[in-house]
């Protein structure tokens, strides 16, 4: 197991190197540049040249890339062109919000998707099966931003049940320790602050969970249907085992491998930022900030954020691979 973890972590080095090279070339090929975002259309050629020289963008691209790699080895991601703050500081300020939103969305998707997919498979061809399949299709087809606006209009603006924007009510004056607002409220025993942060996560979490929920339902249903047709399930039923034992030990456990893979991929994707959801609810995460950085050609932010997100994505999938051995002991033998 340790050898497997070390091997996967070592594979991260060439992955990050290749990603950094492709990103560096792609960003430099984008039309315009940070000088255009800073000066606008009225900047003179002399002013643009001065900014490019100040940012080191007038040097050959290989020299720029070499300087970036040296900083990256020292874990120095540079300074944001737009905010003049360190990229690491910007990331640590915004990433906790994205993590909280991702956890909320995945808890909703997993908590509803796996039981619903299992029940749909057990009642194949019945009303519940048709409703779950049809509902999952609708969940995949509806754009996230459209669902977000609907939830915001109904439950926030019309009914007033949930807040419409932000991560927490600024008037609460909560203590900040980790920038995870819910965790900070629990650590400092500021229960109102923790509850308010959770309340702000409900609507964006529901909107963001729509597509993962639909995917998990469909994959769970298909996987359970495949396992139900296996000989070992019929043998367990013929031996007189109770339905709970058959369901828990034989069906669900063997059907979870493809579901776990999907959950890992979905979680990694959500951790890379939910631009539309964060924009609709004015949620301070990395998605909206990355979108602004693209329009402003903020190269250090784009490079730094995407590199960190790549590391997080690989680590999430490593955790999923390790979970295989817990779900199916045969994987450990292999």
């Amino acid at each position: 197991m340790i050898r497997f973890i070390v091997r996967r972590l070592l594979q991260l080095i060439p992955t990050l190197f290749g990603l950094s090279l492709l990103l560096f070339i792609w960003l430099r090929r984008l039309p315009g540049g940070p000088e255009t975002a800073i000066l606008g259309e009225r900047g003179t050629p002399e002013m643009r040249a001065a900014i490019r020289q100040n940012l080191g963008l007038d040097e050959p691209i290989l020299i720029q890339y070499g300087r970036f790699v040296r900083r990256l080895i020292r874990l120095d991601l540079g300074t944001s062109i737009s905010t003049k703050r360190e990229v690491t500081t910007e990331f640590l300020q915004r990433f906790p919000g994205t993590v909280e939103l991702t956890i909320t969305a995945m808890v909703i998707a997993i908590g509803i998707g796996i039981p619903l997919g299992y029940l749909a498979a057990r009642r194949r061809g019945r009303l519940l099966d048709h409703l779950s399949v049809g509902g999952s299709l609708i969940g995949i087809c509806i754009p996230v931003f459209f669902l977000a606006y609907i939830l915001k209009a109904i439950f926030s603006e019309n009914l007033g049940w949930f807040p419409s924007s932000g991560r927490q009510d600024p008037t609460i004056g909560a203590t900040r320790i980790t920038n995870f607002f819910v965790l900070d409220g629990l650590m400092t025993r500021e229960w109102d602050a923790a509850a308010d942060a959770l309340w702000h996560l409900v609507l964006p979490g529901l909107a963001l969970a729509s597509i993962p929920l639909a995917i998990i339902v469909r994959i769970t249903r298909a996987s359970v249907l495949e396992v139900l047709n296996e000989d070992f399930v019929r043998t367990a039923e013929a031996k007189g085992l109770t339905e709970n034992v058959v369901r828990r030990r034989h069906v669900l456990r063997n059907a979870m491998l493809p579901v776990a893979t999907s959950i890992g991929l979905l979680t990694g994707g959500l951790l890379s930022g939910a631009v539309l959801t964060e924009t609709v609810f004015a949620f301070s995460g990395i998605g909206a900030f990355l979108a602004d950085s693209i329009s402003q050609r903020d190269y250090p932010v784009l490079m730094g954020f995407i590199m960190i997100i790549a590391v997080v994505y690989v680590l999430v999938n490593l955790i999923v691979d390790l979970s295989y051995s817990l779900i199916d002991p045969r994987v450990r033998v292999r």
Side-chain angles (χ1 to χ4, degrees):
M1 183 68 70
I2 297 177
R3 186 181 302 174
F4 170 76
I5 295 174
V6 172
R7 185 170 65 249
R8 289 294 300 271
L9 292 177
L10 289 177
Q11 292 174 356
L12 184 61
I13 298 175
T15 301
L16 291 179
F17 175 77
L19 176 64
S20 66
L21 183 59
L22 292 175
L23 271 176
F24 205 86
I25 296 174
W26 172 69
L27 290 175
R28 267 49 179 189
R29 294 291 182 181
L30 290 177
E35 69 276 9
T36 302
I38 294 173
L39 298 175
E41 299 298 331
R42 299 182 180 180
T44 63
E46 293 77 13
M47 297 170 63
R48 296 175 185 273
I51 290 179
R52 291 189 65 85
Q53 182 179 9
N54 184 44
L55 297 175
L57 299 177
D58 60 334
E59 299 177 349
I61 190 169
L62 290 179
I63 295 178
Q64 297 181 46
Y65 180 70
R67 186 168 58 246
F68 169 76
V69 171
R70 287 194 298 270
R71 289 203 310 263
L72 187 63
I73 294 175
R74 300 195 305 266
L75 301 180
D76 179 12
L77 299 178
T79 303
S80 170
I81 296 174
S82 57
T83 64
K84 310 301 181 185
R85 301 174 62 190
E86 292 186 359
V87 173
T88 305
T89 302
E90 296 286 1
F91 185 85
L92 293 177
Q93 180 179 343
R94 289 170 171 80
F95 190 59
T98 299
V99 173
E100 288 184 336
L101 187 56
T102 298
I103 293 175
T104 303
M106 292 309 298
V107 166
I108 295 173
I110 295 171
I112 299 176
I114 292 179
L116 186 58
Y118 173 80
L119 292 175
R122 296 289 292 185
R123 292 164 175 77
R124 182 180 183 182
R126 300 181 186 178
L127 179 60
L128 179 61
D129 185 27
H130 295 311
L131 290 176
S132 63
V133 172
S136 63
L137 287 175
I138 294 175
I140 294 176
C141 294
I142 294 180
V144 174
F145 74 91
F146 180 70
L147 179 60
Y149 276 119
I150 291 178
L151 293 174
K152 184 176 180 179
I154 295 176
F155 296 103
S156 178
E157 296 176 359
N158 292 339
L159 298 177
W161 291 355
F162 299 96
S164 61
S165 62
R167 293 181 59 193
Q168 196 174 58
D169 187 349
T171 61
I172 291 182
T175 304
R176 297 283 178 262
I177 300 176
T178 64
N179 274 334
F180 291 92
F181 288 3
V182 177
L183 179 61
D184 289 345
L186 297 176
M187 291 174 61
T188 58
R189 297 188 178 182
E190 297 175 353
W191 312 120
D192 292 341
D196 185 73
L198 280 173
W199 213 236
H200 278 77
L201 287 168
V202 174
L203 291 185
L206 284 172
L208 195 60
S210 59
I211 293 179
L213 171 59
I215 293 174
I216 291 174
V217 168
R218 295 182 68 84
I219 291 179
T220 303
R221 176 183 178 274
S223 183
V224 170
L225 284 175
E226 182 179 355
V227 172
L228 286 174
N229 293 323
E230 296 290 341
D231 292 337
F232 63 83
V233 175
R234 288 192 289 268
T235 301
E237 293 174 343
K239 289 167 61 177
L241 297 179
T242 63
E243 183 179 354
N244 288 334
V245 172
V246 174
R247 179 178 66 243
R248 185 177 64 255
R249 293 184 180 178
H250 298 277
V251 177
L252 278 177
R253 193 162 188 175
N254 287 278
M256 281 300 103
L257 285 181
V259 179
T261 302
S262 302
I263 290 174
L265 294 174
L266 291 168
T267 303
L270 294 184
L271 286 173
S272 63
V275 179
L276 298 177
T277 305
E278 293 177 6
T279 302
V280 171
F281 291 99
F283 199 88
S284 179
I286 63 173
F289 189 70
L290 271 175
D292 293 337
S293 299
I294 292 175
S295 62
Q296 296 170 358
R297 302 295 188 270
D298 197 337
Y299 296 151
V301 168
L302 293 174
M303 291 292 297
F305 274 40
I306 294 176
M307 294 298 292
I308 298 176
I309 290 170
V311 174
V312 172
Y313 198 93
V314 171
L315 292 179
V316 169
N317 283 276
L318 174 60
I319 295 173
V320 172
D321 290 343
L322 295 177
S323 70
Y324 291 166
S325 61
L326 299 177
I327 297 173
D328 189 350
R330 293 173 298 180
V331 175
R332 272 176 265 172
V333 177
R334 301 193 192 103

